[in-house]
Amino acid sequence: MPKIPFWVFIIIAVLYFTAVRVDTMDIDASEYAVISSGMVHSNNWLQVYDLGRDYLDKPPFLFWVSALSMKIFGENDLGYKLPSILLALWALYATYRLARLLYNENTARLAALLLATCQGMFLMVNDVRCDTILMSWVITAIWLIKEWDVTRKIKYLMLGFCAIGLGMMTKGPIALMVPVFCFISDWSLKREWRKFFHPAYLVGIIIIALLLLPMSIGLYQQFDLHPEKVVNGTNGVSGLRFFYWSQSFGRITGESPWKNNVDLSFLLVNMLWSFLPWVFLFVPALILNVYKLIAKKFRLGTGAEWVTTGGFLLAYLALGSSGYQLPHYIFVAFPLAAIVTAASIAGFLQDGQNKMLFKVIAPFFTVIGLLVLIVVLVLIVYVFPAGPGLWVAFGLCLTVWFYVLLKKGLPGKLFWVPVTAMIAANIFMMNYIYPTLLTYQVGTQAGKYIKQAGIKSKDFLFYKMRDPLNSLSFYAGEVLIGTDTIVNVTSQKYILTMDEGLADLKQRGDKFTVLKQGVLFKVSQLTPEFLNPETRNKAVKNYYLVQRTIVE
């Protein structure tokens, strides 16, 4: 089992940091960026507002750290994304530390590498939501509690509870439940019942409560003290109850109004791309672990662990039971999946375990790596044609990949082939494909123009826009409002609209000059029609930023 060199993680870290050059994507990421920016201006850190409206959905930790970063680096992509990128890197370190406790140094480095190179991680540092930070705090908590479990040093347990508290401030009770799932599984199967009862847990609960106190005060002041407020169409909403119950457990009990009626397989199906390429080894490794446990009559032997497999399975069942699911919900368990997969690879390379599985998976990984690179080639040659310089760069990356593939006697070739492919592919995804896609995001393009032109919010209105515009205010640097009613278009000199709105202005007899026009598309929902250059004009819609002539 070869040791992964440290310089590989340096390359990955540099690639992650290139995400600050990519515009923030609608819908969620740009909404969170706007909320964070609003905190910078208001200096109100306890109540959360979205463009002046009461916001009751996600806990505030992402907004707090992003707002703090914006105070230092400015209200821009760097300021918003930097905390999440740093915590993504910390998640790799915490995964390494946990895997080293459970296995050994080489397996630990491999686990960190697998997590670092799955497609979901590259997406998370670009489309920044709460999940990157949540994942980081959760795996940190699991590592620290396991460190306490091994060393019995109480400081690790207390730090683990701190991580749980920070995770709950990021995305709710799931940050507590995943570590609980991990250790319930492991200790039960080892019959270590005494570990379920320890007086230090009471201190840990107090630590979590103290960390949650500022957020809880803010929720109480903003919502519980104001039952007259209408939130999601309902008045009398308790912010405290929403956070501690409805947002998470209410989705399982059916109390939550959020439903999209997907089944238990939804998250697994989405892992086919988000945990690519490792999902194709992770699933059989998970099944083998369950089979071995059954064969041992649900009793773990000395040196065995069920922190990762049990933690993942229970977390998946909990998340998959929710009445409302999105693909990124499972990201919180990716570090556990990475360790399960790394342990399987290490078992094969060191002891020859599961030879038949790896006889199939080795060529399969080669095919997956090649397909990933072919997809990128199609994107830069056909879908979004690039210049010769980018083709040369792709040729160099392809040469490196073939060198790794064809080099005889390369230790760990099994994982180096897909790792090289994923890194090479995302060099182009993050530095060319994503930036190109976001030229179709109207909020970004119009917002940058508005800021550069010095257009003020009192002089601006967007009218009959049929596209998410969370990014508009973020890039314009001002709170911009809109309307769908022509009579509301009165004294504003600058109007952002689409074909229907432009026709209304013409019919009313308004005189205007088009300052900027372009095409827009909801880039978070790609379609074959949009990706095909020959049919793209059918998928996109026109937008116009016009300057009206106001007659005094």
Side-chain angles (χ1 to χ4, degrees):
M1 176 69 188
K3 181 182 288 189
I4 312 298
F6 182 70
W7 57 261
V8 175
F9 294 100
I10 297 295
I11 292 174
I12 293 169
V14 171
L15 186 53
Y16 282 2
F17 277 110
T18 62
V20 301
R21 300 173 56 247
V22 181
D23 293 330
T24 299
M25 189 180 296
D26 281 326
I27 303 174
D28 288 348
S30 58
E31 180 182 24
Y32 302 159
V34 167
I35 292 172
S36 304
S37 178
M39 279 189 174
V40 174
H41 290 278
S42 69
N43 253 343
N44 183 352
W45 300 82
L46 294 184
Q47 284 87 46
V48 182
Y49 296 92
D50 180 7
L51 297 176
R53 301 183 297 268
D54 287 302
Y55 177 86
L56 183 61
D57 189 358
K58 299 297 185 295
F61 188 84
L62 169 64
F63 313 138
W64 287 346
V65 293
S66 296
L68 183 60
S69 177
M70 287 179 180
K71 279 184 173 287
I72 300 170
F73 299 103
E75 295 170 51
N76 49 43
D77 296 308
L78 171 63
Y80 174 60
K81 293 184 177 184
L82 183 60
S84 291
I85 294 173
L86 292 174
L87 281 162
L89 294 172
W90 178 259
L92 303 183
Y93 176 72
T95 301
Y96 157 78
R97 289 297 300 266
L98 175 61
R100 194 174 72 175
L101 280 173
L102 298 174
Y103 295 96
N104 53 55
E105 175 71 19
N106 290 349
T107 304
R109 292 195 182 198
L110 178 58
L113 182 65
L114 301 190
L115 177 61
T117 53
C118 74
Q119 189 57 40
M121 283 294 287
F122 289 111
L123 178 65
M124 277 193 282
V125 296
N126 277 286
D127 188 16
V128 168
R129 309 186 190 199
C130 302
D131 303 274
T132 318
I133 299 176
L134 172 69
M135 177 189 68
S136 183
W137 289 132
V138 167
I139 192 59
T140 299
I142 298 168
W143 153 45
L144 289 168
I145 295 172
K146 184 60 184 178
E147 194 85 56
W148 165 76
D149 190 25
V150 171
T151 66
R152 311 312 290 179
K153 293 181 179 179
I154 201 70
K155 66 178 182 180
Y156 290 117
L157 182 61
M158 296 300 103
L159 288 171
F161 277 109
C162 287
I164 289 174
L166 293 170
M168 291 182 70
M169 286 194 291
T170 303
K171 207 174 179 180
I174 189 65
L176 170 63
M177 298 313 299
V178 176
V180 167
F181 292 151
C182 290
F183 292 103
I184 279 181
S185 303
D186 193 65
W187 294 343
S188 297
L189 293 171
K190 291 176 178 176
R191 309 300 191 265
E192 296 176 336
W193 307 115
R194 294 179 64 184
K195 291 183 178 179
F196 286 95
F197 307 97
H198 196 288
Y201 297 160
L202 297 175
V203 180
I205 292 171
I206 293 172
I207 289 173
I208 292 175
L210 289 174
L211 286 170
L212 293 175
L213 186 60
M215 181 193 73
S216 300
I217 291 172
L219 287 167
Y220 181 78
Q221 291 176 339
Q222 187 172 2
F223 298 101
D224 295 68
L225 284 179
H226 297 280
E228 76 281 0
K229 287 186 175 181
V230 177
V231 181
N232 296 325
T234 306
N235 59 3
V237 174
S238 167
L240 293 172
R241 191 175 195 281
F242 175 86
F243 172 74
Y244 289 107
W245 180 260
S246 305
Q247 184 190 39
S248 298
F249 303 108
R251 295 185 182 186
I252 298 174
T253 63
E255 176 185 331
S256 172
W258 293 89
K259 293 181 178 65
N260 57 358
N261 300 316
V262 296
D263 59 31
L264 193 62
S265 67
F266 175 80
L267 296 175
L268 179 60
V269 170
N270 279 280
M271 282 185 70
L272 295 178
W273 68 262
S274 60
F275 201 58
L276 186 74
W278 314 116
V279 63
F280 297 105
L281 176 56
F282 165 66
V283 172
L286 196 72
I287 293 171
L288 282 170
N289 286 353
V290 173
Y291 173 78
K292 290 175 184 177
L293 182 69
I294 295 172
K296 293 178 181 178
K297 299 180 179 179
F298 296 93
R299 197 177 277 272
L300 290 184
T302 305
E305 64 89 9
W306 203 252
V307 170
T308 53
T309 301
F312 181 89
L313 286 172
L314 292 178
Y316 184 92
L317 289 173
L319 292 165
S321 300
S322 173
Y324 185 78
Q325 301 174 46
L326 292 174
H328 56 272
Y329 286 6
I330 195 60
F331 288 3
V332 65
F334 274 10
L336 302 175
I339 296 174
V340 170
T341 310
S344 178
I345 293 174
F348 168 72
L349 294 178
Q350 291 171 181
D351 305 318
Q353 298 174 13
N354 306 317
K355 289 183 179 179
M356 289 301 297
L357 170 62
F358 282 91
K359 189 175 181 179
V360 174
I361 208 68
F364 188 73
F365 272 165
T366 300
V367 172
I368 290 293
L370 183 60
L371 288 175
V372 166
L373 292 170
I374 288 173
V375 167
V376 171
L377 181 62
V378 171
L379 287 172
I380 66 175
V381 171
Y382 178 70
V383 178
F384 300 113
L390 209 62
W391 299 345
V392 171
F394 183 82
L396 292 173
C397 288
L398 196 61
T399 302
V400 172
W401 184 76
F402 273 111
Y403 172 79
V404 172
L405 176 65
L406 301 175
K407 184 174 175 58
K408 294 181 179 180
L410 176 65
K413 182 186 287 190
L414 171 72
F415 58 81
W416 281 124
V417 169
V419 161
T420 307
M422 296 303 294
I423 292 175
N426 279 283
I427 287 173
F428 296 92
M429 292 297 295
M430 296 175 71
N431 291 280
Y432 179 69
I433 301 301
Y434 292 153
T436 303
L437 266 178
L438 286 160
T439 61
Y440 292 87
Q441 184 167 283
V442 60
T444 300
Q445 302 307 314
K448 289 180 178 179
Y449 182 92
I450 289 167
K451 186 172 185 177
Q452 184 179 9
I455 297 173
K456 299 302 180 184
S457 59
K458 63 182 180 64
D459 298 322
F460 176 87
L461 194 72
F462 56 86
Y463 171 61
K464 285 192 175 180
M465 292 297 300
R466 309 299 183 205
D467 195 71
L469 285 175
N470 294 321
S471 57
L472 181 65
S473 293
F474 179 61
Y475 286 101
E478 295 201 55
V479 176
L480 303 177
I481 60 173
T483 184
D484 283 336
T485 306
I486 189 66
V487 296
N488 292 332
V489 182
T490 54
S491 61
Q492 296 85 8
K493 292 172 58 178
Y494 302 95
I495 308 296
L496 177 66
T497 191
M498 297 167 66
D499 285 329
E500 181 185 358
L502 197 69
D504 289 347
L505 294 176
K506 289 179 179 178
Q507 184 176 11
R508 195 172 69 171
D510 286 18
K511 297 184 182 298
F512 55 80
T513 302
V514 177
L515 301 177
K516 179 179 176 60
Q517 69 180 83
V519 294
L520 64 88
F521 184 81
K522 192 179 293 185
V523 298
S524 60
Q525 298 178 7
L526 299 178
T527 63
E529 187 178 50
F530 172 76
L531 292 173
N532 184 349
E534 297 178 5
T535 58
R536 186 171 299 149
N537 63 330
K538 298 178 182 178
V540 300
K541 296 179 180 178
N542 299 314
Y543 72 85
Y544 310 89
L545 178 59
V546 304
Q547 181 178 3
R548 297 167 61 229
T549 301
I550 304 296
V551 179
E552 300 294 341

